[in-house]
Amino acid sequence: MWSLTMATYDYDLFVIGGGSGGVRAGRLAGAMGKRVGLAEEYRMGGTCVIRGCVPKKLYVYASQFGESFDDAAGYGWSVGTSTFDWRTLVDAKEKEITRLEGLYRKGLEGSKVEIFASRAELVDAHTIELKSTGQRVTAERILIATGGRVNRNTSMPGHEYCISSDEAFDLAELPKSIVIAGGGYIAVEFANIFHGLGVETTLVYRGKEILSRFDHDLRVLLSEAMTAKGIRIVTEAVFNAVRKEGDRLAVELSNGETLTVDQAMLAIGRLPNSEGVGLDKAGVALSKGDHGAVIVDEYSRTSQPHIYAVGDVTDRVQLTPVAIHEAMCFLETVYKDNPTRPDHDLIPTVVFSQPEIGTVGMSEDEAIKTYPEIEIYRAHFRPMKNTLSGRADKMLMKLVVDGKSRKVLGAHILGPDAGEMAQLIGIALKAGASKDDFDRTMAVHPSAAEEFVTMYNPTYRVVNGERI
């Protein structure tokens, strides 16, 4: 059977998309001895490496130094006058992502994956056309890993004057003022980045509170902290139109206000990147509506049994580690005779805001809807680092616990290193740890994380939806 496959198809596996999921699947399949082809029309690494989480985290670091310089005075340091050069940051970022892109490419080449610098489209269920040359190749199995794209709100007048997260990292110059549409983690992170770099920043969100999918305490406290720092947050409003006024932009809001700024940014979500891939020609079913996500089963298999899809194009969970995990499950299922379903439960999540958010598991509101009795353990305090610096930022540590089984359902953190803590506490929740397990764990003192193991008595309980 294997020799028949060799004679019938050019490749055992062809991957469309060179992001985190596609590269992982292609590289490891190649290392197993499979004949693998991979097509990527832009740069290797996908959204995360090139225009997403990696450059974003670098810019977050850059935006935090202003506060660090101020805080140093309380500890006896005289930092002096500081200046920031946007071009230096952009160039340093570009150097780093070029290095990372090279590592991705080197890994693929080391596994003997044939790389095509081209857009790839399906011609039929087994045939791929490389658009840069017109070459057609065939594959026994195909993996769609084309990721997502920004929602540019093309129905809004003046949308062409707005930037997105794709362009934000490479602006010719740092604007003096910016207004950002959106209230999700991308909008919130960029609002904090730009503000930290000295930009007058306004955030406009259609809902009543930013970060609508996060625990209520996190939403409220972060909003208060951002406002105190000088970020203006306008809720229950959207961009109606954007127009040019000389070198600046006039942004008309649905609440009747018009903002005049240097830049306007849309961060109103991302869409599965399924257009122009030829999925219809291959008989791959997409979800209805504007999103057009690739429909997959629990093993990432599409409506065509030999075509799979992982990552943001499936519109499951839009996180880089999830795409990588789905790729690993794909390899186990297809090439190791070990059917493995991706596990999307209890995914630690971070918002690189200032202060930072780290969270894993159920929010308080979610738990109330599911469990008849829950206990909330909550500590809201000034972190030790802020005592001598005089910084007013406070920290939140919160546990959501099933009142009957004592199982910890959710953990939520607002403050320094929240993401690092969320990653580690996610292991405990994944293992099914109980509040009693937390209570008998020795504390690391002095630390913020010790609050998770020293909150012995509940702050309050919620029984059948009533707080007591």
Side-chain angles (χ1 to χ4, degrees):
M1 175 65 77
W2 188 74
S3 60
L4 178 62
T5 299
M6 290 283 288
T8 304
Y9 300 107
D10 298 318
Y11 298 96
D12 299 315
L13 173 67
F14 197 95
V15 181
I16 302 179
S20 298
V23 168
R24 180 64 61 92
R27 179 172 63 82
L28 295 185
M32 294 167 60
K34 304 300 179 183
R35 295 166 304 130
V36 181
L38 185 148
E40 170 56 55
E41 67 176 321
Y42 184 48
R43 300 175 70 180
M44 206 64 67
T47 296
C48 178
V49 171
I50 305 302
R51 52 188 177 273
C53 38
V54 170
K56 173 193 69 182
K57 188 69 178 291
L58 295 175
Y59 282 36
V60 167
Y61 286 140
S63 69
Q64 292 173 337
F65 279 104
E67 289 188 354
S68 296
F69 295 149
D70 292 340
D71 292 349
Y75 286 86
W77 288 91
S78 298
V79 177
T81 302
S82 60
T83 60
F84 171 71
D85 183 72
W86 170 255
R87 197 68 250 166
T88 298
L89 174 62
V90 173
D91 292 345
K93 175 271 302 180
E94 184 61 27
K95 182 178 179 180
E96 174 60 11
I97 65 173
T98 298
R99 182 186 73 86
L100 293 174
E101 181 186 14
L103 292 176
Y104 271 62
R105 190 173 295 276
K106 183 178 179 180
L108 290 167
E109 292 170 346
S111 294
K112 295 182 171 53
V113 175
E114 189 168 2
I115 302 171
F116 297 92
S118 173
R119 183 175 185 82
E121 293 185 17
L122 295 170
V123 177
D124 58 41
H126 285 281
T127 307
I128 304 101
E129 180 176 308
L130 302 164
K131 303 304 289 185
S132 62
T133 62
Q135 178 186 359
R136 292 189 175 188
V137 298
T138 59
E140 180 186 14
R141 291 187 176 90
I142 297 169
L143 180 66
I144 308 299
T146 49
R149 67 185 190 280
V150 295
N151 182 353
R152 296 190 180 274
N153 195 17
T154 54
S155 63
M156 181 190 73
H159 68 88
E160 66 272 18
Y161 300 127
C162 300
I163 64 169
S164 71
S165 57
D166 285 358
E167 297 82 34
F169 298 111
D170 296 292
L171 295 174
E173 60 183 26
L174 187 67
K176 291 183 172 59
S177 59
I178 191 169
V179 57
I180 302 172
Y185 74 93
I186 295 176
V188 168
E189 288 172 340
F190 272 103
N192 282 273
I193 288 171
F194 279 114
H195 175 266
L197 296 177
V199 180
E200 181 184 332
T201 304
T202 302
L203 188 66
V204 176
Y205 180 50
R206 64 183 178 182
K208 292 183 178 181
E209 295 175 343
I210 59 173
L211 298 175
S212 61
R213 297 182 182 179
F214 288 75
D215 186 86
H216 182 260
D217 277 340
L218 296 178
R219 301 198 307 264
V220 171
L221 294 175
L222 177 61
S223 181
E224 291 175 353
M226 289 171 62
T227 300
K229 291 175 186 292
I231 299 172
R232 185 183 175 210
I233 301 176
V234 180
T235 57
E236 298 184 274
V238 298
F239 286 15
N240 270 357
V242 178
R243 67 177 187 274
K244 270 277 196 183
E245 286 190 349
D247 293 334
R248 308 193 79 196
L249 298 175
V251 181
E252 299 175 7
L253 305 184
S254 59
N255 63 6
E257 185 177 359
T258 297
L259 304 176
T260 302
V261 293
D262 296 317
Q263 287 283 0
M265 178 176 177
L266 296 175
I268 53 176
R270 296 180 62 83
L271 305 174
N273 201 16
S274 58
E275 293 180 1
V277 187
L279 297 173
D280 55 335
K281 298 174 185 175
V284 175
L286 303 179
S287 62
K288 297 185 184 302
D290 296 333
H291 292 322
V294 177
I295 299 172
V296 293
D297 67 10
E298 56 189 349
Y299 296 102
S300 298
R301 186 186 293 111
T302 72
S303 53
Q304 281 285 8
H306 65 281
I307 300 179
Y308 292 73
V310 297
D312 292 1
V313 74
T314 66
D315 202 19
R316 287 179 282 189
V317 179
Q318 296 182 347
L319 293 171
T320 296
V322 173
I324 293 172
H325 172 66
E326 290 169 357
M328 298 297 289
C329 291
F330 159 77
L331 293 168
E332 290 288 331
T333 299
V334 174
Y335 293 121
K336 296 186 179 181
D337 196 27
N338 179 31
T340 304
R341 303 178 183 90
D343 182 357
H344 296 108
D345 190 32
L346 291 171
I347 300 172
T349 303
V350 183
V351 180
F352 291 108
S353 48
Q354 298 174 38
E356 190 170 294
I357 280 177
T359 182
V360 59
M362 285 187 167
S363 68
E364 179 178 339
D365 289 342
E366 289 172 332
I368 288 172
K369 295 174 183 177
T370 307
Y371 294 86
E373 180 180 342
I374 64 168
E375 295 177 342
I376 301 298
Y377 296 79
R378 187 181 186 277
H380 189 215
F381 58 96
R382 194 180 191 185
M384 188 175 184
K385 184 180 179 181
N386 291 351
T387 55
L388 297 190
S389 70
R391 185 160 297 282
D393 288 1
K394 288 190 174 183
M395 193 161 191
L396 173 74
M397 311 288 279
K398 180 176 180 178
L399 290 175
V400 181
V401 177
D402 177 11
K404 295 189 180 298
S405 71
R406 302 276 290 162
K407 181 179 180 180
V408 179
L409 306 172
H412 310 284
I413 310 150
L414 175 76
D417 301 317
E420 303 291 342
M421 284 185 266
Q423 176 67 87
L424 294 176
I425 204 167
I427 301 171
L429 267 64
K430 200 71 173 177
S434 69
K435 184 62 172 61
D436 297 330
D437 294 324
F438 278 63
D439 290 347
R440 63 170 176 262
T441 301
M442 201 69 72
V444 174
H445 182 75
S447 70
E450 69 179 299
E451 295 292 338
F452 276 134
V453 298
T454 57
M455 295 187 289
Y456 300 116
N457 298 311
T459 306
Y460 56 88
R461 293 181 173 85
V462 181
V463 179
N464 295 323
E466 294 293 326
R467 180 169 166 173
I468 58 174

